[in-house]
Structure formats: C-alpha cells, structure tokens
Amino acid sequence: DTPLMRLWYKRDGEFQLPKSFVTLDLVSPLAYSDPVCCNLTSIWVLLLRDSLQQFAYSAELAGLRWSVGNAKYGLSIAIDGYDEKQHVLLEKIMEHLVNFHVDPARFKVMKESHIRAIRNFEAEQPYQHAVYQQAMCLSDLVWTRCQLLEAAHSLTPEQLTEFTMLLMRRVHVEGLMFGNLTRERALEVADSIEDKLPKDATPLLAQQLLLYREIEIEKGSWFLREIENSVHKSSCASVYYACGVRRVRQNVVLELLAQALSEPCFHVLRTQEQLGYIVFSGIRRSNGVQGLRVIVQSDRHPAYLEDRIENFIRRSQEYLENMTDEEFLKHRSSLAAQKLEKPKRLATRASQMWSEITAQVYNFDRMHVEVEELNTVTKDELLEFYMKHISPKSLERQKLSVYVVSTAEGGAGNKEASEENDNETLQPTKITDLVDFKSRRRLYPNPLPFINIPRKGAHCKL
C-alpha cells in the first residue's frame, strides 16, 4: 500500500489450479471530469485494444484471457488464466499504457466507431432506454449521450496524446491478485507496475478517490421521467421503489421480498394480463443504494403499464399476508442456498472479492454473514418492509417512474391516452430538467465499510 498503488492479494486454497486472476483499476478524476475527457478515455481504450491484438494469439496459446475497459473511475485491466506468463502480458499492457503513441489513421477509425456506437444507442430496445434514463435521474454525475456526441466530433489525436500523458501522471492504481501466486511474487509484480508509472506521477488525495453517490428521492414522493422513442413500436414503463443504503439486514430482506414477488409478478403481468414479452422484476443496486424495480415493455401506453404494475403491487400485500409459514421458509432456504452456492470458477470468486474492494465495503465473507442474518428474518418483518418501502399505502415510499413512449408508426404515443388512469389522487412530479431536479435533492451517504480499512490516496498530516 503506497500513495500511488494499493494491491490486494490472496493465495487460492479452494480451486487448487495453476491459474490466477489479476485485475487493476487505474483510477483518475480526469477520466470522467467532462464529456471531452470521457470520450477521450473511451477512444483510448479502443486504440489500446487495437494495438494489443498483436499479443492476443500468443496470450491465447498461453491459456490467458485479457480485457481492457473503461468506466467512470478510469481504466480497468483484467487477466485470467495460467499464472506462469501472466506477468509478461501485464507488463506489455502497462508499457502500452504508459508509452502510448497515437496513430492518426487508427484514431480516425476508432473515433468514427465511438461516435457510431453513441448514435446507435437510439436503436436499442425501449427497456434499455428506461434503465439508462433511470440512471440519469439517480446518479449524481453523469454525462448525457447528447453531450458526449456533441463533444466527440471535435476530438483530435493531439488532444488524446496530451490527455493520456496527464492522466498517467494523476492516477491511483488499485489491484487484486488471487490464485496460484506467492506473496513475494505478487509484491514483485506490484513493484514492476509502480516502476512503470511516470517518475513525476503525483499521488491523488483521498478526496479525489471518493465514490460517486446516489440522488435521494424524498419520502412520500413520486417522480416521473418521460421520453419519446421513434425507432421501436414498443413502449416501456420502469417503476423503481428506493429502499435506502445497502446494509446487511436490509440487503437480505429486500432480496427475500424480490424472490417472493418474482414469480407472481411474471405470472400476473406476463402470463395472465399478457402485457408484453419483456416483464422483469428484481433489485437495482447502484452507488451503494438499492431498491425494487419492475420493468414492462409492451405495445400499450406506459401509463397503462404502470397502472397494472401498481395494481400488482397493491395485491402483493394480500399475497404476502396469506403466505403460509411453509412457503415463507421455502423462499428463505432457497435464497440461503443460492447465496451459499460455491463458485464454479476461480474468476467468479475473484470477481466477488473485487466487487467488495471497488465498493469500498470489504465484506469478504458476505455470503455467510448475510445467510446468518437471513435465517433470523421473519414473515412479519418481510411484510413490514413491504409496507414501508413498496406499498401504495406507505407515506414513506420513494418512487421513480420512467416512461419510454413510442412515436413510431403504430406506437402507443400515437394513440389516445384513454388508457391512462386519471382517477389517481396522487399525480407524479414530472422531471423535465435533470440538472434542476438533482440540484434540489440530497445525496445518500456511501455504505459503511464492514471492516476498518484506511482510505486510499495521500493524506494531509496537518
């Protein structure tokens, strides 16, 4: 653990294979500081993948899989497979990162590919637009595709060269090495990575490495975000019920509720009412906050779809109240069995540990901790959770609806809105200006870490 790098290491004693999993996050506040930098990061990753293809065949022969990607926090590198030559491939990738040179011809190709990918999102399914709009409403900082597209056209190779040099000098590396590795070898690899970073690299401060946070919807409120889609005939309604910050007890109760309602939701909305082929209910987790989400994609108007979703939610109270103790225990034991199921692959186990590290929660024994908590949950507690967070009768319910209305030929946007339920006493507050909406809302805190780990980054000694 140094000002520039933090490495997590664990020797595999479970799978007993000559393999290991190495993943690195190169975290920098520059990567998502504005739409230009966000675009440059994406194009940089495309060019890196392109230049590293020369090693792809050799890596495959050595039994190695690798990936380079980008996210809001920066760049990510993952290598999975036989451990003998992993360090060689990792060094090659780091060399390409630090000593990156832009080929103007390839830059033009990748820039066009990036712009095309942004534009092609318009043709994605309506439910994907609903998920995207929901994230736009709830994330404290997110650049819209319109902003990214506008900024992408003027990018130049010179900008990318300057950007990569600056980012590699303002970066913090966090990594995990898990598998058939000794502690000494892991430290050698960590030293070689840090040695490859520019000598004039400046350690990031702890404040620059804070996680993004989620917008908090006021208790008892209902907001609606409505957009149009001219590509698909289908429309979509997504309804989200926020349940607060992730904590062990809340996690297992929400998961138990989601499991109990999953089959009835599909049966009622898909099989009985035949609203559409895509009917989904489950948990949405983002930035340490969680909630229950129901999505229905259909040829019907989203207002009608939401009315049917709310009708199902209303009837769920009776379903939960009439659930026998035997049915409740069956749901509880089924969820416990899912949690305790051992991963089939080493990479899956490593991904579980890595998700705890990136979320800065560090609950590495989550499955056993949560199952112990789950086994003490009662049916009355489940019903109480439903009545507080999900039930239409609750005065504390926090609800966000997203409508994707089709304006294509034959779409619901061209029909009379007679399907909408005008008898509702409570009408939603429409979100028309995202910046204004977010600026007037509080943010949820980040989840508390399960174990006390010092914050990464440089700290002032004053």
Side-chain angles (χ1 to χ4, degrees):
D1 190 358
T2 69
L4 285 174
M5 183 175 184
R6 174 181 282 178
L7 177 69
W8 298 78
Y9 160 78
K10 181 174 172 61
R11 180 80 181 259
D12 170 47
E14 182 180 353
F15 295 91
Q16 302 292 327
L17 295 171
K19 295 183 177 182
S20 62
F21 181 90
V22 179
T23 183
L24 298 175
D25 269 2
L26 282 75
V27 182
S28 175
L30 290 176
Y32 204 73
S33 58
D34 59 41
V36 171
C37 290
C38 182
N39 281 320
L40 288 171
T41 306
S42 298
I43 296 172
W44 185 17
V45 166
L46 291 174
L47 288 166
L48 280 168
R49 290 175 186 161
D50 185 57
S51 65
L52 287 165
Q53 285 304 314
Q54 58 183 303
F55 302 113
Y57 182 64
S58 299
E60 189 178 339
L61 288 179
L64 295 174
R65 290 185 297 272
W66 62 274
S67 66
V68 178
N70 66 290
K72 288 174 80 169
Y73 295 102
L75 278 71
S76 62
I77 301 167
I79 300 175
D80 171 30
Y82 293 106
D83 61 279
E84 186 179 2
K85 296 293 183 182
Q86 274 187 351
H87 67 285
V88 177
L89 179 58
L90 184 58
E91 286 175 8
K92 292 289 183 185
I93 294 173
M94 287 301 299
E95 284 173 10
H96 273 66
L97 266 172
V98 178
N99 305 314
F100 182 74
H101 296 289
V102 183
D103 179 350
R106 297 306 296 164
F107 176 86
K108 184 179 178 182
V109 172
M110 295 305 170
K111 176 183 167 181
E112 289 174 357
S113 175
H114 174 63
I115 292 173
R116 189 163 56 249
I118 298 174
R119 284 181 173 151
N120 286 348
F121 183 74
E122 289 301 316
E124 296 287 356
Q125 289 291 322
Y127 76 88
Q128 291 172 301
H129 284 270
V131 170
Y132 167 67
Q133 287 295 329
Q134 198 172 73
M136 293 276 292
C137 294
L138 295 175
S139 297
D140 65 335
L141 176 63
V142 60
W143 308 120
T144 67
R145 294 188 179 273
C146 180
Q147 291 168 334
L148 293 173
L149 188 61
E150 189 178 325
H153 290 289
S154 60
L155 299 178
T156 63
E158 292 74 24
Q159 277 181 291
L160 181 58
T161 300
E162 184 180 349
F163 172 75
T164 56
M165 290 174 62
L166 189 59
L167 187 142
M168 291 308 296
R169 283 161 175 77
R170 294 183 60 192
V171 72
H172 183 278
V173 181
E174 182 147 37
L176 167 69
M177 301 186 74
F178 170 63
N180 185 39
L181 294 161
T182 62
R183 179 186 176 89
E184 292 72 25
R185 186 174 172 190
L187 288 171
E188 285 175 15
V189 173
D191 289 340
S192 70
I193 292 169
E194 192 163 348
D195 288 343
K196 282 185 167 44
L197 294 175
K199 301 304 178 189
D200 55 346
T202 306
L204 296 178
L205 297 171
Q207 298 97 309
Q208 295 176 291
L209 294 166
L210 293 175
L211 297 174
Y212 289 103
R213 290 161 69 185
E214 193 91 342
I215 300 294
E216 181 178 356
I217 302 171
E218 297 94 329
K219 291 181 179 179
S221 60
W222 171 21
F223 290 96
L224 169 64
R225 174 73 169 168
E226 186 172 342
I227 62 161
E228 294 181 347
N229 185 296
S230 60
V231 178
H232 294 278
K233 182 182 175 183
S234 297
S235 297
C236 181
S238 172
V239 184
Y240 172 70
Y241 307 95
C243 298
V245 178
R246 292 186 65 182
R247 285 189 283 269
V248 173
R249 191 75 178 181
Q250 284 80 348
N251 291 353
V252 294
V253 178
L254 177 59
E255 287 172 11
L256 188 57
L257 179 65
Q259 173 162 307
L261 296 183
S262 176
E263 190 277 329
C265 178
F266 187 85
H267 177 69
V268 171
L269 301 180
R270 171 70 182 87
T271 308
Q272 290 185 349
E273 300 192 13
Q274 298 185 357
L275 295 179
Y277 284 105
I278 297 177
V279 174
F280 165 81
S281 68
I283 298 172
R284 177 190 184 270
R285 286 184 169 132
S286 178
N287 301 322
V289 178
Q290 60 188 356
L292 184 71
R293 175 166 62 186
V294 182
I295 296 175
V296 179
Q297 182 172 308
S298 168
D299 291 339
R300 310 293 289 270
H301 195 282
Y304 175 76
L305 299 178
E306 177 169 27
D307 180 52
R308 302 318 302 158
I309 292 170
E310 277 293 288
N311 183 59
F312 165 75
I313 292 295
R314 198 176 296 111
R315 289 164 55 190
S316 296
Q317 180 181 344
E318 183 183 353
Y319 169 75
L320 293 171
E321 287 174 341
N322 295 335
M323 182 188 293
T324 64
D325 290 341
E326 185 180 350
E327 288 176 321
F328 173 77
L329 291 174
K330 188 176 179 181
H331 279 300
R332 200 173 72 176
S333 61
S334 172
L335 181 59
Q338 287 177 34
K339 285 181 167 293
L340 292 174
E341 184 180 358
K342 291 188 176 181
K344 303 288 191 298
R345 297 176 59 240
L346 182 139
T348 308
R349 174 69 78 198
S351 297
Q352 290 174 348
M353 291 188 284
W354 186 235
S355 65
E356 296 294 329
I357 293 167
T358 54
Q360 298 182 17
V361 177
Y362 313 119
N363 188 356
F364 296 111
D365 196 27
R366 178 177 295 277
M367 53 186 180
H368 291 104
V369 170
E370 290 193 342
V371 166
E372 283 181 18
E373 199 75 33
L374 175 64
N375 289 333
T376 64
V377 174
T378 63
K379 180 185 162 185
D380 289 340
E381 185 178 356
L382 182 67
L383 187 60
E384 183 185 338
F385 185 89
Y386 162 84
M387 294 301 295
K388 179 180 179 181
H389 296 290
I390 314 297
S391 172
K393 299 176 184 177
S394 173
L395 298 177
E396 296 186 21
R397 186 169 76 159
Q398 301 157 285
K399 178 180 171 185
L400 171 65
S401 303
V402 176
Y403 293 175
V404 180
V405 185
S406 171
T407 56
E409 186 177 351
N414 298 321
K415 300 175 184 176
E416 291 293 326
S418 58
E419 297 169 330
E420 296 188 34
N421 186 10
D422 296 324
N423 297 322
E424 289 283 352
T425 54
L426 177 65
Q427 291 297 320
T429 303
K430 288 199 172 183
I431 302 172
T432 53
D433 186 333
L434 281 172
V435 175
D436 183 68
F437 168 74
K438 293 183 191 181
S439 66
R440 300 180 189 281
R441 310 268 99 72
R442 294 186 300 181
L443 296 175
Y444 280 107
N446 291 130
L448 289 170
F450 191 73
I451 54 177
N452 188 25
I453 301 289
R455 284 200 174 275
K456 58 187 178 182
H459 297 264
C460 180
K461 295 180 180 179
L462 293 177

Short mmCIF file of all heavy atoms in Angstrom, two decimals, residues 257 261 264 309-322 383 386 390:
data_model
loop_
_atom_site.label_atom_id
_atom_site.label_comp_id
_atom_site.label_asym_id
_atom_site.label_seq_id
_atom_site.Cartn_x
_atom_site.Cartn_y
_atom_site.Cartn_z
N LEU A 257 -37.78 -10.39 -0.40
CA LEU A 257 -39.01 -9.83 -0.98
C LEU A 257 -39.00 -9.95 -2.50
O LEU A 257 -40.01 -10.34 -3.11
CB LEU A 257 -39.16 -8.36 -0.56
CG LEU A 257 -40.39 -7.63 -1.10
CD1 LEU A 257 -41.67 -8.24 -0.54
CD2 LEU A 257 -40.33 -6.14 -0.78
N LEU A 261 -41.72 -12.11 -4.78
CA LEU A 261 -42.61 -11.46 -5.74
C LEU A 261 -42.25 -11.74 -7.19
O LEU A 261 -43.04 -11.43 -8.09
CB LEU A 261 -42.59 -9.94 -5.51
CG LEU A 261 -43.11 -9.43 -4.17
CD1 LEU A 261 -43.10 -7.91 -4.14
CD2 LEU A 261 -44.52 -9.94 -3.89
N PRO A 264 -44.81 -14.46 -8.97
CA PRO A 264 -46.15 -13.89 -9.12
C PRO A 264 -46.18 -12.70 -10.09
O PRO A 264 -47.14 -12.55 -10.84
CB PRO A 264 -46.52 -13.44 -7.70
CG PRO A 264 -45.66 -14.26 -6.80
CD PRO A 264 -44.39 -14.49 -7.55
N ILE A 309 -48.87 -2.41 -13.07
CA ILE A 309 -47.80 -2.72 -12.11
C ILE A 309 -48.24 -2.36 -10.69
O ILE A 309 -48.07 -3.13 -9.75
CB ILE A 309 -46.50 -1.97 -12.49
CG1 ILE A 309 -45.90 -2.53 -13.80
CG2 ILE A 309 -45.46 -2.08 -11.36
CD1 ILE A 309 -44.77 -1.70 -14.37
N GLU A 310 -48.81 -1.16 -10.56
CA GLU A 310 -49.27 -0.71 -9.24
C GLU A 310 -50.39 -1.60 -8.71
O GLU A 310 -50.47 -1.87 -7.50
CB GLU A 310 -49.75 0.74 -9.32
CG GLU A 310 -48.65 1.77 -9.22
CD GLU A 310 -48.00 1.78 -7.85
OE1 GLU A 310 -48.61 2.25 -6.88
OE2 GLU A 310 -46.85 1.29 -7.73
N ASN A 311 -51.23 -2.08 -9.61
CA ASN A 311 -52.29 -2.99 -9.20
C ASN A 311 -51.70 -4.30 -8.65
O ASN A 311 -52.16 -4.83 -7.64
CB ASN A 311 -53.21 -3.29 -10.38
CG ASN A 311 -54.38 -4.18 -10.00
OD1 ASN A 311 -55.18 -3.83 -9.14
ND2 ASN A 311 -54.47 -5.35 -10.63
N PHE A 312 -50.65 -4.78 -9.33
CA PHE A 312 -49.98 -5.99 -8.83
C PHE A 312 -49.32 -5.73 -7.47
O PHE A 312 -49.42 -6.55 -6.55
CB PHE A 312 -48.92 -6.46 -9.83
CG PHE A 312 -47.96 -7.46 -9.25
CD1 PHE A 312 -48.35 -8.78 -9.03
CD2 PHE A 312 -46.67 -7.08 -8.88
CE1 PHE A 312 -47.49 -9.69 -8.46
CE2 PHE A 312 -45.79 -7.99 -8.32
CZ PHE A 312 -46.21 -9.30 -8.11
N ILE A 313 -48.65 -4.58 -7.33
CA ILE A 313 -48.00 -4.23 -6.07
C ILE A 313 -49.04 -4.15 -4.95
O ILE A 313 -48.81 -4.62 -3.82
CB ILE A 313 -47.25 -2.88 -6.21
CG1 ILE A 313 -46.05 -3.02 -7.17
CG2 ILE A 313 -46.80 -2.36 -4.85
CD1 ILE A 313 -44.95 -3.94 -6.68
N ARG A 314 -50.19 -3.59 -5.27
CA ARG A 314 -51.27 -3.46 -4.28
C ARG A 314 -51.76 -4.83 -3.81
O ARG A 314 -51.97 -5.07 -2.62
CB ARG A 314 -52.41 -2.65 -4.89
CG ARG A 314 -53.39 -2.06 -3.90
CD ARG A 314 -54.44 -1.20 -4.59
NE ARG A 314 -53.85 -0.04 -5.24
CZ ARG A 314 -53.78 0.13 -6.56
NH1 ARG A 314 -54.26 -0.78 -7.39
NH2 ARG A 314 -53.22 1.21 -7.07
N ARG A 315 -51.91 -5.74 -4.78
CA ARG A 315 -52.39 -7.09 -4.45
C ARG A 315 -51.32 -7.95 -3.78
O ARG A 315 -51.63 -8.99 -3.19
CB ARG A 315 -52.87 -7.77 -5.74
CG ARG A 315 -54.17 -7.18 -6.28
CD ARG A 315 -54.42 -7.58 -7.72
NE ARG A 315 -54.41 -9.03 -7.91
CZ ARG A 315 -54.41 -9.62 -9.09
NH1 ARG A 315 -54.42 -8.88 -10.19
NH2 ARG A 315 -54.40 -10.93 -9.19
N SER A 316 -50.06 -7.52 -3.88
CA SER A 316 -48.97 -8.29 -3.28
C SER A 316 -49.08 -8.35 -1.76
O SER A 316 -48.61 -9.29 -1.12
CB SER A 316 -47.61 -7.69 -3.67
OG SER A 316 -47.40 -7.79 -5.05
N GLN A 317 -49.72 -7.31 -1.18
CA GLN A 317 -49.89 -7.31 0.28
C GLN A 317 -50.70 -8.53 0.72
O GLN A 317 -50.33 -9.23 1.66
CB GLN A 317 -50.59 -6.02 0.73
CG GLN A 317 -50.81 -5.97 2.24
CD GLN A 317 -51.51 -4.70 2.68
OE1 GLN A 317 -51.59 -3.72 1.93
NE2 GLN A 317 -52.05 -4.70 3.90
N GLU A 318 -51.79 -8.79 0.00
CA GLU A 318 -52.63 -9.95 0.32
C GLU A 318 -51.85 -11.25 0.12
O GLU A 318 -51.95 -12.18 0.93
CB GLU A 318 -53.87 -9.94 -0.57
CG GLU A 318 -54.85 -11.07 -0.27
CD GLU A 318 -56.04 -11.07 -1.22
OE1 GLU A 318 -56.16 -10.11 -2.02
OE2 GLU A 318 -56.84 -12.03 -1.18
N TYR A 319 -51.04 -11.29 -0.96
CA TYR A 319 -50.24 -12.48 -1.24
C TYR A 319 -49.25 -12.75 -0.10
O TYR A 319 -49.10 -13.89 0.36
CB TYR A 319 -49.49 -12.31 -2.56
CG TYR A 319 -48.44 -13.34 -2.83
CD1 TYR A 319 -48.77 -14.64 -3.22
CD2 TYR A 319 -47.08 -13.03 -2.69
CE1 TYR A 319 -47.79 -15.60 -3.45
CE2 TYR A 319 -46.10 -13.97 -2.92
CZ TYR A 319 -46.46 -15.25 -3.30
OH TYR A 319 -45.48 -16.20 -3.53
N LEU A 320 -48.59 -11.70 0.39
CA LEU A 320 -47.62 -11.86 1.48
C LEU A 320 -48.30 -12.23 2.79
O LEU A 320 -47.79 -13.04 3.57
CB LEU A 320 -46.80 -10.58 1.63
CG LEU A 320 -45.86 -10.23 0.47
CD1 LEU A 320 -45.27 -8.83 0.65
CD2 LEU A 320 -44.74 -11.25 0.33
N GLU A 321 -49.45 -11.60 3.04
CA GLU A 321 -50.17 -11.89 4.29
C GLU A 321 -50.68 -13.34 4.33
O GLU A 321 -50.70 -13.97 5.39
CB GLU A 321 -51.35 -10.93 4.44
CG GLU A 321 -50.93 -9.51 4.80
CD GLU A 321 -52.10 -8.53 4.80
OE1 GLU A 321 -53.15 -8.85 4.19
OE2 GLU A 321 -51.95 -7.46 5.41
N ASN A 322 -51.10 -13.85 3.15
CA ASN A 322 -51.65 -15.20 3.09
C ASN A 322 -50.59 -16.28 2.87
O ASN A 322 -50.92 -17.47 2.81
CB ASN A 322 -52.70 -15.29 1.97
CG ASN A 322 -53.91 -14.43 2.25
OD1 ASN A 322 -54.21 -14.13 3.40
ND2 ASN A 322 -54.61 -14.01 1.21
N LEU A 383 -43.15 -8.45 5.71
CA LEU A 383 -44.36 -7.69 5.43
C LEU A 383 -44.20 -6.23 5.86
O LEU A 383 -44.65 -5.30 5.16
CB LEU A 383 -45.55 -8.33 6.14
CG LEU A 383 -46.94 -7.77 5.83
CD1 LEU A 383 -47.26 -7.90 4.34
CD2 LEU A 383 -48.00 -8.49 6.67
N TYR A 386 -42.17 -4.46 3.26
CA TYR A 386 -43.03 -4.17 2.10
C TYR A 386 -43.93 -2.97 2.38
O TYR A 386 -44.08 -2.07 1.54
CB TYR A 386 -43.86 -5.41 1.75
CG TYR A 386 -45.06 -5.11 0.87
CD1 TYR A 386 -44.93 -5.03 -0.51
CD2 TYR A 386 -46.32 -4.86 1.43
CE1 TYR A 386 -46.01 -4.72 -1.32
CE2 TYR A 386 -47.41 -4.55 0.63
CZ TYR A 386 -47.25 -4.48 -0.74
OH TYR A 386 -48.31 -4.16 -1.54
N ILE A 390 -42.64 -0.32 -0.25
CA ILE A 390 -43.23 -0.70 -1.53
C ILE A 390 -44.73 -0.41 -1.62
O ILE A 390 -45.24 -0.02 -2.68
CB ILE A 390 -43.00 -2.22 -1.82
CG1 ILE A 390 -41.54 -2.61 -1.53
CG2 ILE A 390 -43.39 -2.55 -3.24
CD1 ILE A 390 -40.52 -1.93 -2.40
#
